[in-house]
Amino acid sequence: MQNLTAHLNMIRAMKMKPNFSELARIYGIDRRTVKKYYEGYEGKPKNRNKPSKLDKYYDEIKSKLAIKGVTVKGVYEYLKSKD
């Protein structure tokens, strides 16, 4: 996609409208994908800021794991049976 975006930027700098079908043939992708990148699409983000389902149990998990001899699997089963 790096070459495609460079190609599109070059066409945009010349103030020309690209032939999406021709670019799609050159790069081996769908013409709608080429148009999407021409209109400013930057791709999916590398990471998401999505909270974990276990965040609300963080303090409880931490306190259970501090007990000597308790395993992660044991804490998991405890929380699973609790809900």
Side-chain angles (χ1 to χ4, degrees):
M1 289 300 160
Q2 200 67 282
N3 293 335
L4 172 64
T5 53
H7 199 147
L8 289 172
N9 287 335
M10 225 169 44
I11 292 172
R12 192 177 287 121
M14 293 187 292
K15 297 186 191 265
M16 296 172 62
K17 185 177 180 210
N19 183 339
F20 299 121
S21 296
E22 181 63 27
L23 290 172
R25 280 190 286 278
I26 291 169
Y27 292 103
I29 56 177
D30 192 78
R31 64 179 177 77
R32 291 172 292 222
T33 304
V34 175
K35 184 176 181 186
K36 183 167 62 171
Y37 277 92
Y38 178 71
E39 291 174 347
Y41 181 72
E42 296 178 5
K44 291 183 179 179
K46 299 291 181 199
N47 56 10
R48 296 173 18 178
N49 292 331
K50 183 179 176 185
S52 169
K53 291 180 180 180
L54 298 176
D55 283 348
K56 59 185 175 184
Y57 302 110
Y58 180 78
D59 293 329
E60 190 173 359
I61 292 170
K62 193 172 179 180
S63 67
K64 296 290 181 196
L65 288 175
I67 301 170
K68 196 170 233 164
V70 174
T71 63
V72 173
K73 174 77 173 175
V75 175
Y76 168 75
E77 290 296 332
Y78 167 76
L79 290 173
K80 190 172 153 186
S81 67
K82 185 177 165 187
D83 285 337

